[in-house]
Amino acid sequence: MRKLILAFAATAALWIPLSGRAADSPMDLAALAWDRGDYAGALTTYLQVLEGGASDEAFETIALQTGELFQTTELTKDGDAPQFSPDGRFIAYETGALLARTVKLATAAEPQKPIATLEGTRAIFSPDSKTIAYLKTVPSPSLRQAAAAVDEGPATGRAQRLNALNVQLALESKLVARDLASGQETELDTGLFRKQGLAFTGKGIIFAGTPAEGPGQIYATAPGAGPAAVTTGEGDKTIGEVNSSGTAVIYTVRQRGAGRGGGGGGGQGNPTFRLLTIADGRTTTVNGSAPTFSADGASIAYVVRAAAENRLVVAPVTDAANAAVVRTGPERIDAPAFSADGQRLAFQMMPKEDWEIYVISRDGKTESRLTREIQHDLLPHFLDNERLIGMIGEARHRRSYLYDVTTGKRTRLFHNNTIRTVAPEYTWIPSPDGQKLLIVAERDGDTVSPERGVYLVDLAQRITRDALRARVKANLASEQALRGKTERLFAPIAGDVRKVVADASVARVFSYEKALFDFDSKHITRPGNKLASEYLFNKYKSFGYDPEFQWFAGRGALGGQTANVLATLKGTTNPELVYVVSSHYDSVAVGPGADDDTSGTSALLETARILAAHPQPATIIFASFTGEEAGLLGSREFVRQAVANKLEIVGALNNDMVGWANDHRLDNTIRYSNAGIRDIQHGAAMHFTNLITYDALYYKSTDAAAYYEAYGDIVGGIGSYPVLGNPHYHQSHDLLDTINHQLVTEVAKTTAATLMLLTSSPSRLADLKVDSVSNGTAKISWKAAPEKEIASYIIAYGPATNPEAQQMKVTAPTATVPKVSPGTVISVKAVNSRGLEGWDWARVAVK
């Protein structure tokens, strides 16, 4: 490794451009390598710079390019609802699932050492930080039965069963106040209500209580006193924000059975919210939305939408009617936030088609734009008077950044310190002094499992140089291993792959996009849906396929029916084994859906075209699904018929939203359930295309979910930069001029290369089991590979931390594995006569 670093450095030092100007520095060369996706080259240079004593500027650049700059502590891999006490001394967060859900209480100084575990949820700190209250779980037999039922039965009903459990929990849980100094707990009387939204106020603890009959109100309770309603009137009340002094509460009202409406307006008219002042019990109805309190609790800011005008308004809490308009204009505004001293406000505004963050003085005289990112910039929150945090991206997959309000400098806050994997974030809670953040995120990129991690970011502490060097070394090793592994896997067919992908054409891709785009909306309720299906049928036919319509009744479909369009490339050696590659051709009703998903459909067409004259060993079905935007209708119908017809689907790719580019880079995210397919797609991109790929364990709420539910862990595919970052997502302005046609073409090439390796290689083995273990030796067996021309099987075994530590080969579907112990992971894959290995391991653990 040292020789490689020195060689790279020497080459960089000697390189002088023909223009005669000074040579780029190693950091400049590394930046260029990173930009084109040559991560191994960039990391090699970064490591050389670090080992040579990087400057502070270089250190910060390397840290932010490869992950986090600030020290980050993982508090739990399975948590939510983090918070600081008002004085910043304590933190609390939830962890666990269902009836085992608990609140961990710790000091901010030693966050990884909980001082108490509270058996319940929804904890809140008192304004003086002396008390914590929470809803204590007391499992009754009926609660245990409801909890046991959550994971039983079909996956499609789990959400409803979980909701029923949460409703019952909200009814049966006990409100408890705990003294933080002594640990003494006091149960408070809450009556027979479903309880939500706890908060401390001058009248004790309040909660939103919903009775079995009648409207839900906000109730106050204190030791020795039963619950007393502090609101009246129809509609269920929901507590929003409580000011820092506990003297005022924002709440909304929702009439049962009403639509979602606007901010408590019961679904009728302009949005409204209610402001309750605790001292006098007075409620004021305010026409507006997105209300927030100032840090001292004395003022409130909110947004008013009137006709074509939007206003940012500030008012005293004690006199909400005496409001001052800070800003007015036609642009949409939202999410106001006060600076620490209350003299400035940040807010998000949409000058055109994406949200940006602005800062304005409280008197409205000075306004400045803070962000210019092409993605949505959202949810500003001041940490003090000069710094704020903001979010970039779509609601399910945002990322946090720190902004200097004066200079505009932006610094990323959180990352998972790996190059390829995307880590979505969901919650950001700053400490009172603005020096720490609690963040809820999926650091491992797993958006499928319900577990999310809780992390503490210390803005006052940067990572150490040793930690950064270790990170760079680990990333370099991982990148080199991925490149080496995939180069080896593709080697037997690399020449064939290059010939096929060389035929991909940007001009053809654009022609598909333009034709589909011109049908306007392709939602199943629009005429464009049928026009698009006919176009796809004819286009597949022109490539030499014998396509078919797969008609079915769709909810609300124009004419009562809609159709998937299928084209089949029959396998030459194992035609009974099927790989499916799909995209949905329908769009949302309001627009043409250039990215979502004309882009994926066009990539699918080009993949089908360049493979048409190159049948592969296994069968490939090109599936253009309909009705995705109406509830994944087409994919579920396809899978339903495939199961009924006993179609042996062994692998699937699903591409969705692949054409929007955040910048000049040709990059996209692999959305997968199967890690073997993920790695092959990375390899296909890096060895045969100009595509730069990231990854996220992500298939829920996409057409890939239908494959997973019926056939298990067999899914890969490409979709979105990096994951749902497109500001035009599901909007009428998802137009063709926002699409990078070369990017779509690179996706088609990556998809074709992936399919060629998958269909040429043995699929994942089935029924691997440990038959017996005796004296550290395991006898294992598995179902023989279904492909013809299988030459041997590779067996790998080792601890969970290094499961491929040892390897051996056999020729029959049985083996004796030596030197095993409980926890040893045994993995098996087949190898065919061409030397192609199976694309994923079958695995079993020794018990």
Side-chain angles (χ1 to χ4, degrees):
M1 176 61 70
R2 182 67 178 170
K3 291 181 180 179
L4 175 62
I5 293 169
L6 292 175
F8 189 94
T11 302
L14 292 172
W15 182 80
I16 299 176
L18 295 177
S19 63
R21 63 180 175 82
D24 286 336
S25 70
M27 288 296 291
D28 291 333
L29 292 173
L32 292 171
W34 190 281
D35 188 73
R36 65 176 178 267
D38 178 12
Y39 294 134
L43 290 165
T44 299
T45 303
Y46 285 155
L47 193 56
Q48 178 248 333
V49 170
L50 287 171
E51 291 181 342
S55 66
D56 287 344
E57 181 181 1
F59 178 91
E60 180 173 323
T61 297
I62 296 170
L64 290 172
Q65 190 74 283
T66 60
E68 291 164 344
L69 175 63
F70 303 108
Q71 286 192 6
T72 299
T73 303
E74 183 177 81
L75 304 183
T76 179
K77 294 181 181 296
D78 177 14
D80 202 357
Q83 58 184 302
F84 288 94
S85 61
D87 64 4
R89 290 189 303 127
F90 298 99
I91 60 173
Y93 57 91
E94 294 182 10
T95 185
L98 302 180
L99 300 189
R101 194 84 169 163
T102 61
V103 174
K104 297 290 186 181
L105 179 65
T107 63
E110 295 185 293
Q112 291 179 297
K113 298 179 180 179
I115 57 177
T117 297
L118 314 180
E119 296 180 351
T121 61
R122 304 189 185 185
I124 55 168
F125 289 102
S126 61
D128 62 8
S129 299
K130 293 182 178 180
T131 306
I132 187 170
Y134 67 102
L135 292 179
K136 188 170 187 175
T137 303
V138 183
S140 64
S142 60
L143 266 178
R144 294 185 188 279
Q145 185 178 5
V150 168
D151 292 318
E152 297 174 357
T156 51
R158 188 181 189 278
Q160 291 82 355
R161 296 192 296 275
L162 181 59
N163 181 65
L165 173 65
N166 287 331
V167 168
Q168 192 172 349
L169 262 173
L171 175 64
E172 295 189 24
S173 56
K174 308 296 184 182
L175 176 56
V176 172
R178 179 187 179 96
D179 184 274
L180 288 172
S182 67
Q184 182 177 349
E185 294 191 344
T186 303
E187 183 178 326
L188 286 79
D189 184 1
T190 56
L192 299 177
F193 298 111
R194 297 204 313 266
K195 299 166 287 293
Q196 300 181 63
L198 306 183
F200 276 94
T201 71
K203 286 193 175 181
I205 299 175
I206 63 170
F207 63 92
T210 306
E213 296 182 2
Q217 304 294 348
I218 296 176
Y219 294 86
T221 186
V230 295
T231 60
T232 60
E234 294 300 314
D236 292 332
K237 317 303 186 292
T238 300
I239 297 174
E241 188 177 350
V242 179
N243 68 351
S244 57
S245 58
T247 59
V249 180
I250 294 166
Y251 71 93
T252 56
V253 181
R254 185 176 186 275
Q255 304 298 331
R256 296 186 188 180
R260 296 181 66 178
Q268 303 296 323
N270 292 326
T272 63
F273 64 91
R274 313 292 171 92
L275 178 64
L276 169 66
T277 48
I278 297 298
D280 57 12
R282 179 166 55 94
T283 290
T284 303
T285 299
V286 182
N287 292 317
S289 62
T292 188
F293 289 112
S294 59
D296 62 6
S299 301
I300 187 170
Y302 55 95
V303 174
V304 177
R305 297 180 179 89
E309 189 173 77
N310 296 278
R311 302 171 188 160
L312 177 59
V313 177
V314 173
V317 166
T318 55
D319 188 10
N322 187 21
V325 177
V326 177
R327 187 193 193 281
T328 185
E331 302 91 348
R332 288 177 60 193
I333 56 178
D334 208 345
F338 284 98
S339 59
D341 61 8
Q343 296 306 303
R344 288 194 286 187
L345 292 107
F347 59 96
Q348 64 187 60
M349 183 166 70
M350 188 173 285
K352 189 180 178 183
E353 294 171 344
D354 72 299
W355 293 105
E356 304 290 353
I357 295 175
Y358 291 75
V359 176
I360 193 169
S361 59
R362 183 164 176 160
D363 60 12
K365 293 181 179 179
T366 305
E367 178 180 310
S368 61
R369 179 171 174 171
L370 186 61
T371 66
R372 296 183 182 276
E373 170 64 47
I374 194 171
Q375 297 184 59
H376 290 309
D377 292 272
L378 306 135
L379 304 177
H381 185 106
F382 274 100
L383 298 179
D384 48 38
N385 294 325
E386 301 298 330
R387 299 176 306 148
L388 62 78
I389 55 172
M391 315 307 155
I392 295 180
E394 191 267 347
R396 288 165 286 177
H397 304 284
R398 291 175 181 155
R399 287 142 191 84
S400 54
Y401 289 82
L402 177 68
Y403 294 88
D404 184 303
V405 175
T406 301
T407 65
K409 180 182 178 181
R410 184 181 80 182
T411 305
R412 187 180 60 216
L413 289 176
F414 183 81
H415 200 268
N416 57 352
N417 300 323
T418 60
I419 293 172
R420 298 285 179 176
T421 298
V422 177
E425 302 170 38
Y426 301 94
T427 305
W428 313 265
I429 305 295
S431 61
D433 64 2
Q435 293 302 306
K436 293 182 173 68
L437 285 172
L438 286 165
I439 291 179
V440 178
E442 289 159 341
R443 202 174 196 183
D444 58 359
D446 180 357
T447 71
V448 175
S449 67
E451 293 81 15
R452 293 175 176 175
V454 178
Y455 304 88
L456 180 66
V457 180
D458 189 340
L459 301 181
Q461 297 290 329
R462 294 189 173 195
I463 61 170
T464 65
R465 288 179 180 264
D466 286 344
L468 182 55
R469 275 195 294 268
R471 178 201 302 174
V472 172
K473 287 180 179 179
N475 275 318
L476 179 58
S478 176
E479 190 68 13
Q480 290 172 332
L482 178 64
R483 181 173 289 274
K485 169 188 173 181
T486 54
E487 187 171 23
R488 175 176 55 81
L489 291 175
F490 272 104
I493 63 168
D496 294 336
V497 172
R498 291 190 184 95
K499 290 177 184 177
V500 169
V501 301
D503 191 30
S505 163
V506 178
R508 289 180 183 270
V509 165
F510 177 77
S511 72
Y512 313 145
E513 294 171 346
K514 184 63 168 64
L516 290 164
F517 180 79
D518 285 348
F519 297 134
D520 199 27
S521 172
K522 292 166 283 294
H523 193 265
I524 62 172
T525 62
R526 300 292 191 266
N529 184 262
K530 187 171 187 297
L531 294 173
S533 68
E534 292 171 347
Y535 170 81
L536 292 168
F537 183 94
N538 292 330
K539 189 56 65 175
Y540 282 128
K541 194 172 185 64
S542 74
F543 299 157
Y545 294 97
D546 185 16
E548 60 178 302
F549 288 113
Q550 191 176 63
W551 292 99
F552 62 95
R555 297 188 301 269
L558 198 64
Q561 284 192 316
T562 186
N564 296 323
V565 185
L566 312 177
T568 301
L569 184 65
K570 192 169 183 179
T572 57
T573 307
N574 304 295
E576 72 284 358
L577 302 180
V578 176
Y579 290 83
V580 184
V581 56
S582 57
S583 291
H584 73 88
Y585 69 85
D586 63 308
S587 68
V588 292
V590 298
D595 189 33
D596 189 12
D597 187 31
T598 285
S599 64
T601 301
S602 299
L604 179 64
L605 285 173
E606 187 65 352
T607 303
R609 186 189 70 82
I610 64 178
L611 283 173
H614 304 277
Q616 299 298 303
T619 293
I620 302 172
I621 295 178
F622 302 92
S624 293
F625 290 146
T626 185
E628 192 265 3
E629 302 293 2
L632 312 180
L633 303 182
S635 56
R636 295 201 184 284
E637 178 62 20
F638 172 82
V639 169
R640 185 190 70 78
Q641 292 197 32
V643 171
N645 295 328
K646 294 182 170 51
L647 202 64
E648 194 170 355
I649 298 176
V650 292
L653 303 176
N654 185 70
N655 296 339
D656 191 350
M657 298 178 62
V658 301
W660 182 79
N662 185 65
D663 47 33
H664 65 285
R665 300 179 86 220
L666 300 175
D667 47 6
N668 249 311
T669 295
I670 297 166
R671 307 197 304 195
Y672 72 97
S673 74
N674 184 282
I677 294 178
R678 173 201 64 195
D679 288 352
I680 287 172
Q681 292 205 273
H682 279 309
M686 69 173 61
H687 297 305
F688 304 103
T689 81
N690 292 318
L691 188 66
I692 303 167
T693 45
Y694 311 105
D695 61 61
L697 182 57
Y698 182 108
Y699 63 83
K700 292 179 71 175
S701 302
T702 74
D703 281 326
Y707 300 128
Y708 188 92
E709 291 165 5
Y711 291 96
D713 176 19
I714 62 164
V715 182
I718 295 174
S720 306
Y721 168 85
V723 177
L724 297 179
N726 189 343
H728 312 292
Y729 172 61
H730 280 187
Q731 302 300 312
S732 61
H733 44 78
D734 183 5
L735 304 176
L736 199 57
D737 57 5
T738 69
I739 299 304
N740 185 315
H741 315 296
Q742 182 68 55
L743 178 59
V744 178
T745 307
E746 298 304 317
V747 171
K749 292 157 66 175
T750 300
T751 303
T754 301
L755 285 169
M756 291 180 73
L757 184 56
L758 291 177
T759 56
S760 299
S761 305
S763 56
R764 187 173 56 192
L765 297 167
D767 299 337
L768 172 63
K769 58 183 181 292
V770 178
D771 295 314
S772 64
V773 179
S774 178
N775 297 323
T777 299
K779 291 185 178 181
I780 63 172
S781 63
W782 58 92
K783 185 177 180 180
E787 289 82 6
K788 301 176 181 65
E789 301 176 354
I790 295 299
S792 61
Y793 297 95
I794 302 173
I795 300 169
Y797 56 100
T801 55
N802 187 15
E804 298 172 34
Q806 304 291 328
Q807 291 197 4
M808 56 188 289
K809 278 191 176 183
V810 297
T811 56
T814 61
T816 299
V817 182
K819 298 179 181 179
V820 301
S821 58
T824 297
V825 177
I826 300 176
S827 309
V828 185
K829 63 168 63 172
V831 182
N832 65 22
S833 59
R834 297 178 66 185
L836 288 158
E837 299 176 10
W839 46 260
D840 192 24
W841 296 97
R843 295 180 178 86
V844 67
V846 176
K847 296 181 180 179

